[in-house]
C-alpha cells in the first residue's frame, strides 16, 4: 500500500464524479449548450473557469455535463460485458470438454480483432451513436470476462473450503453466498472496474472520430475533436476535456488496482 | 504445426464474423455493399451475381471464402476501386507509423526500465507514477498536446499531414507512449526479479560491471514476460493507429477506415478488420517462433510451454 494518498484521492475523485453524474447542477448552474456570440473562445477567467469554446459555450459546464455520458458509456458497457462474459464463462466451465473448446476458440477469434476495429465493425453494421458504441464496447470486452470467469469457476470447483463447508453441514445457499460468490466475483469485479476506465477511453476515441454521440451533446472526446480547429488560437478547449478523461481513467485504474490487491490478498490467505 | 492450424482457425473465424456482420446490416445487402455511392442497375445485378446473393446462404458463404482465398477482397464502390488497390495505396503510411510507434515503445521502455530497476525510491516512484499516468492518457489527446506544444508553439515539427521522417516523430510518440509505459512496468518487474537470481551474482563475481550485467544477462530474461503481452500490444498499436492518423490528418488505413464507416463502405471496413486479424495472427506466430531463441531452455522441449 505504498500509494495510499493516491488511492484515497482516486476514491474521492470517483465519488465527486458520481455526484456530478447524478446532480450536475451541484457543480455548474450554467447551461452547457447556451451559446454566447459575445464571448467566443475567451480564455479561462473567474466567470468561465475553463474558458469558452468556439460558440461561446462554457467549457466547465460542458465538462461537468459530460461526466454523466462518459460514466454511462463506461458503466453500461462494462455491466453488459460482465453479464454476458459471466454467462459464457460459466457455460464453458460447466458444459463439458467440447463446449469448453468451442467457446475458447470463439473467444480467440474475437480477441484476434483489435478492440477499436471490432467496435468500428459494430458501428459499421449498426450505425454511429451512443447506444451502438455501448454495444460495440461490451462486445469487445466480453471475451476477457468470459476467460476470467471460466478460470475462476474451474479453480473454485476444486477448492478445499467448499468441501469443508459441506462437511460442516452448511446449506447450499449459505455456501453459494458466503464462498462461491465472493471468491468468483472478486477478480471479475476488479476486471470490470478497470474495464470501465478502458470503455470510457475507447468510447471517447469513438466520439473523437465522430462516431459516438452526435453534436451538440457535451462529450469529452467530441469536444476535443472540435477543439482541433481552433488550437492555433486557443489552448483551453483542447486541455480541459482531455484532463477530464485522463483523470477519470487514472482514478478508475488506481481504484481498480487497489481492489485487485485486496482481492488477491484474500484468496491467498 | 498446431499453432499454424489454430492461427488458420482464428482467421477463418474472423472471415465468418465479417460475413455475418454484412448480413446483420439492416436493409438490403446490395445497399450495404455499395454504401452511399450510386450505381447503375447493371452494377447492382453484377453485385448480386458476384456475391451469389440469389443463392442460398451457405453458397454465398462458400463463395465469400473462395474469393478471399484468391486474394479478392471485393470492390469499394465509394472509392471506385478494388478494395485491395485502396488498401495498397494507404498501407505504406500506416506501416511507417506503426514502425515508428513500435520503435519508440521498445527503445523507450527498455531505457526507462534499465535506468530505474532496483533504484532508490525517489527514482522508481516518479517513474512508476509516470507510467500509470501515461497508460491513462488517451492517445488522441496526447497527439493534440504534442501538436499544440511542438508544432504550433515551438515549430520543431511540421503540423498536419506531413510525410517523411519529421512528420513521423510526433505521431510515433503519441502512438507509442501508452504501450511503452505498459512495457516498461513489465520489464522493470522482470529485471528486478532476475537481478536476485544466483547467476547474476555469479556474473557480478566474475567482475562484470552493473550495466553489463543488466544488458547482457538480465534484460534477456526480463523480456520473456513481455511475450504474453503480444496480443494486447498488437491491438493497442492497430487501434491506436486509427485514432492517431485522424489526429495528425495522416493518410493511411486508419484514415481510410473512419472514412469508410461514415460513408458506409462495408467491403472496405470488412477488409481492414480481416487485415488486422491477419496481422495479429502473424505477429503471434512470429513471437511464438522467436520465443525459443530468447530462452534456450525451451529449445529442446517446445511442447512444454503452451
Amino acid at each position: 500500500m505504498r500509494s495510499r494518498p493516491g488511492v484515497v484521492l482516486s476514491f474521492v475523485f470517483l465519488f465527486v464524479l458520481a455526484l456530478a453524474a447524478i446532480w450536475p447542477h451541484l457543480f455548474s448552474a450554467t447551461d452547457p449548450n447556451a451559446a454566447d456570440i459575445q464571448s467566443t473562445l475567451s480564455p479561462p477567467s473567474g466567470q468561465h473557469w475553463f474558458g469558452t469554446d468556439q460558440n461561446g459555450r462554457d467549457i466547465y459546464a460542458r465538462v461537468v455535463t459530460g461526466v454523466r455520458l462518459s460514466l454511462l458509456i463506461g458503466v453500461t458497457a462494462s455491466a453488459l460485458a460482465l453479464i454476458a462474459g459471466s454467462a459464457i464463462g460459466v457455460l464453458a466451465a460447466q458444459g463439458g470438454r467440447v463446449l469448453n473448446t468451442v467457446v475458447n476458440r470463439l473467444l480467440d477469434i474475437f480477441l484476434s480483432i483489435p478492440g477499436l476495429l471490432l467496435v468500428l465493425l459494430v458501428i459499421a453494421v449498426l450505425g454511429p451513436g451512443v447506444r451502438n458504441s455501448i454495444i460495440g464496447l461490451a462486445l469487445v470486452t466480453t471475451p476477457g470476462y468470459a476467460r476470467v470467469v471460466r478460470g475462476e469457476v474451474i479453480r473454485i470447483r476444486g477448492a478445499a473450503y467448499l468441501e469443508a463447508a459441506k462437511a460442516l453441514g452448511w446449506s447450499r445457499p449459505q455456501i453459494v453466498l458466503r464462498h462461491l460468490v465472493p471468491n468468483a466475483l472478486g477478480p471479475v469485479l476488479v476486471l470490470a472496474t478497470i474495464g470501465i476506465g478502458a470503455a470510457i477511453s475507447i468510447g471517447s476515441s469513438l466520439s473523437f472520430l465522430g462516431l459516438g454521440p452526435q453534436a451538440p451533446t457535451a462529450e469529452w472526446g467530441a469536444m476535443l475533436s472540435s477543439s482541433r480547429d481552433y488550437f492555433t488560437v486557443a489552448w483551453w478547449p483542447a486541455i480541459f476535456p482531455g484532463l477530464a478523461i485522463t483523470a477519470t481513467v487514472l482514478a478508475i485504474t488506481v481504484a481498480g488496482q487497489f481492489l485487485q490487491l485486496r482481492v488477491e490478498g484474500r484468496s491467498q490467505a | 504445426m498446431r499453432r499454424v492450424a489454430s492461427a488458420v482457425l482464428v482467421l477463418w473465424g474472423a472471415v465468418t464474423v465479417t460475413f455475418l456482420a454484412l448480413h446483420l446490416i439492416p436493409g438490403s445487402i446490395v445497399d450495404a455493399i455499395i454504401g452511399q455511392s450510386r450505381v447503375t442497375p447493371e452494377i447492382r445485378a453484377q453485385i448480386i451475381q458476384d456475391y451469389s446473393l440469389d443463392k442460398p446462404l451457405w453458397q454465398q458463404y462458400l463463395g465469400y471464402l473462395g474469393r478471399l482465398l484468391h486474394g479478392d477482397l471485393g470492390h469499394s464502390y465509394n472509392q471506385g476501386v478494388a478494395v485491395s488497390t485502396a488498401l495498397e495505396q494507404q498501407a505504406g503510411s500506416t506501416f511507417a507509423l506503426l514502425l515508428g510507434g513500435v520503435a519508440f515503445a521498445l527503445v523507450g521502455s527498455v531505457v526507462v526500465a534499465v535506468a530505474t530497476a532496483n533504484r532508490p525510491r525517489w527514482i522508481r516512484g516518479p517513474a512508476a507514477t509516470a507510467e500509470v499516468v501515461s497508460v491513462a492518457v488517451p492517445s488522441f489527446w496526447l497527439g493534440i498536446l504534442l501538436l499544440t506544444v511542438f508544432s504550433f508553439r515551438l515549430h520543431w515539427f511540421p503540423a498536419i499531414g506531413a510525410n517523411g521522417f519529421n512528420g513521423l516523430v510526433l505521431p510515433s510518440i503519441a502512438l507509442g507512449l501508452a504501450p511503452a509505459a505498459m512495457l516498461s512496468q513489465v520489464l522493470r518487474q522482470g529485471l528486478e526479479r532476475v537481478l536476485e537470481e544466483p547467476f547474476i551474482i555469479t556474473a557480478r563475481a566474475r567482475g562484470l560491471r552493473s550495466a553489463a550485467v543488466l544488458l547482457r544477462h538480465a534484460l534477456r530474461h526480463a523480456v520473456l514476460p513481455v511475450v504474453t503481452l503480444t496480443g494486447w500490444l498488437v491491438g493497442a498499436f492497430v487501434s491506436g493507429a486509427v485514432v492517431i492518423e485522424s489526429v495528425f490528418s495522416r493518410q493511411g488505413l486508419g484514415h481510410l477506415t473512419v472514412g469508410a464507416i461514415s460513408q458506409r463502405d462495408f467491403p472496405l471496413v470488412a477488409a481492414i478488420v480481416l487485415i488486422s486479424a491477419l496481422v495479429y495472427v502473424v505477429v503471434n506466430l512470429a513471437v511464438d517462433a522467436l520465443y525459443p531463441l530468447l530462452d534456450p531452455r525451451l529449445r529442446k522441449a517446445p511442447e512444454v510451454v503452451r
Side-chain angles (χ1 to χ4, degrees):
Chain A
M1 295 301 121
R2 265 183 300 114
S3 50
R4 270 241 181 248
V7 172
V8 173
L9 202 65
S10 297
F11 277 103
V12 169
F13 184 66
L14 290 178
F15 179 70
V16 173
L17 280 182
L19 283 183
I22 302 169
W23 297 292
H25 297 298
L26 280 181
F27 296 89
S28 166
T30 318
D31 178 358
N33 290 322
D36 179 3
I37 316 294
Q38 299 297 312
S39 63
T40 55
L41 292 175
S42 63
S45 63
Q47 197 193 349
H48 301 291
W49 292 358
F50 292 176
T52 60
D53 68 4
Q54 69 279 6
N55 294 327
R57 295 175 295 193
D58 185 60
I59 293 177
Y60 173 71
R62 291 179 72 70
V63 167
V64 169
T65 313
V67 173
R68 181 183 288 178
L69 190 56
S70 289
L71 289 193
L72 179 83
I73 291 175
V75 172
T76 321
S78 289
L80 285 177
L82 177 70
I83 295 167
S86 303
I88 296 170
V90 170
L91 203 70
Q94 304 283 40
R97 257 179 89 176
V98 178
L99 196 62
N100 193 355
T101 314
V102 170
V103 170
N104 250 335
R105 289 289 168 227
L106 282 176
L107 296 181
D108 276 342
I109 290 163
F110 277 94
L111 289 171
S112 77
I113 302 174
L116 185 62
L117 281 179
L118 195 53
V119 183
L120 291 180
L121 185 66
V122 171
I123 288 178
V125 171
L126 300 176
V130 177
R131 195 198 51 169
N132 297 341
S133 303
I134 292 175
I135 295 175
L137 289 168
L139 187 71
V140 168
T141 41
T142 298
Y145 295 98
R147 280 264 154 89
V148 172
V149 170
R150 180 178 147 271
E152 284 301 309
V153 172
I154 290 174
R155 184 178 65 85
I156 291 171
R157 217 162 37 191
Y161 58 76
L162 283 190
E163 296 295 321
K166 265 183 222 161
L168 284 169
W170 285 35
S171 71
R172 214 183 141 74
Q174 255 182 324
I175 294 175
V176 169
L177 282 180
R178 294 285 298 275
H179 287 302
L180 256 178
V181 170
N183 278 291
L185 213 59
V188 186
L189 282 181
V190 166
L191 193 66
T193 312
I194 297 173
I196 294 174
I200 289 176
S201 187
I202 305 179
S204 68
S205 341
L206 283 177
S207 27
F208 178 78
L209 295 173
L211 302 171
Q214 304 297 310
T217 315
E219 202 281 343
W220 297 338
M223 290 167 71
L224 286 175
S225 180
S226 62
S227 81
R228 283 185 298 174
D229 299 334
Y230 308 96
F231 66 0
T232 44
V233 285
W235 52 268
W236 50 95
I239 295 296
F240 294 108
L243 269 181
I245 303 174
T246 307
T248 307
V249 175
L250 190 61
I252 292 173
T253 310
V254 172
Q257 283 171 349
F258 171 76
L259 294 176
Q260 191 167 27
L261 282 178
R262 292 282 301 264
V263 166
E264 278 172 4
R266 189 174 57 195
S267 62
Q268 275 160 10
Chain B
M1 250 350 261
R2 273 194 61 179
R3 294 222 175 89
V4 176
S6 82
V8 170
L9 200 68
V10 165
L11 278 182
W12 171 63
V15 170
T16 311
V17 168
T18 57
F19 178 79
L20 291 176
L22 174 61
H23 285 264
L24 284 173
I25 297 179
S28 100
I29 294 174
V30 179
D31 286 336
I33 291 166
I34 58 177
Q36 285 178 343
S37 56
R38 286 164 183 274
V39 297
T40 59
E42 289 80 42
I43 293 182
R44 281 192 96 88
Q46 183 68 40
I47 292 173
I48 290 175
Q49 206 195 344
D50 284 350
Y51 283 75
S52 322
L53 292 177
D54 48 351
K55 306 235 173 70
L57 200 61
W58 64 271
Q59 279 191 7
Q60 296 181 26
Y61 179 60
L62 287 183
Y64 185 70
L65 271 180
R67 269 174 291 135
L68 284 174
L69 280 177
H70 287 105
D72 177 6
L73 290 166
H75 191 87
S76 163
Y77 292 88
N78 281 319
Q79 305 267 330
V81 289
V83 167
S84 50
T85 315
L87 294 181
E88 272 164 31
Q89 285 165 356
Q90 305 290 335
S93 171
T94 301
F95 186 69
L97 173 62
L98 287 174
L99 215 59
V102 170
F104 175 80
L106 289 183
V107 174
S109 61
V110 168
V111 168
V112 172
V114 168
T116 55
N118 267 2
R119 290 304 180 92
R121 232 177 104 177
W122 63 270
I123 297 181
R124 281 182 93 258
T129 309
E131 283 159 1
V132 176
V133 174
S134 303
V135 174
V137 173
S139 59
F140 61 91
W141 187 49
L142 181 64
I144 291 179
L145 291 181
L146 290 172
L147 274 176
T148 311
V149 176
F150 293 104
S151 291
F152 293 118
R153 307 269 151 183
L154 299 174
H155 301 286
W156 287 2
F157 295 101
I160 296 280
N163 284 311
F165 180 77
N166 265 343
L168 204 57
V169 174
L170 295 182
S172 300
I173 295 174
L175 178 62
L177 186 73
M182 195 82 177
L183 280 176
S184 78
Q185 285 174 333
V186 176
L187 275 178
R188 185 169 51 243
Q189 271 174 17
L191 277 177
E192 288 176 351
R193 203 171 45 240
V194 174
L195 287 175
E196 288 168 5
E197 299 266 339
F199 72 86
I200 295 292
I201 299 167
T202 316
R204 277 187 215 257
R206 284 194 352 244
L208 278 176
R209 281 176 300 120
S210 286
V213 170
L214 265 172
L215 293 175
R216 278 188 34 204
H217 293 276
L219 196 57
R220 188 169 175 160
H221 287 258
V223 166
L224 295 178
V226 171
V227 172
T228 55
L229 279 176
T230 313
W232 181 85
L233 284 172
V234 174
F237 277 112
V238 173
S239 301
V242 174
V243 181
I244 292 299
E245 282 177 4
S246 170
V247 176
F248 290 88
S249 307
R250 281 175 66 86
Q251 291 296 304
L253 296 178
H255 182 78
L256 199 64
T257 315
V258 177
I261 288 170
S262 37
Q263 291 165 356
R264 313 207 59 124
D265 187 348
F266 191 81
L268 204 47
V269 178
I272 290 167
V273 168
L274 289 181
I275 300 269
S276 46
L278 181 70
V279 169
Y280 174 92
V281 164
V282 168
V283 171
N284 269 307
L285 277 179
V287 169
D288 276 346
L290 284 175
Y291 204 61
L293 295 180
L294 276 173
D295 191 347
R297 288 169 296 186
L298 303 174
R299 273 178 212 165
K300 278 183 184 156
E303 281 305 306
V304 181
V305 253
R306 287 250 304 124

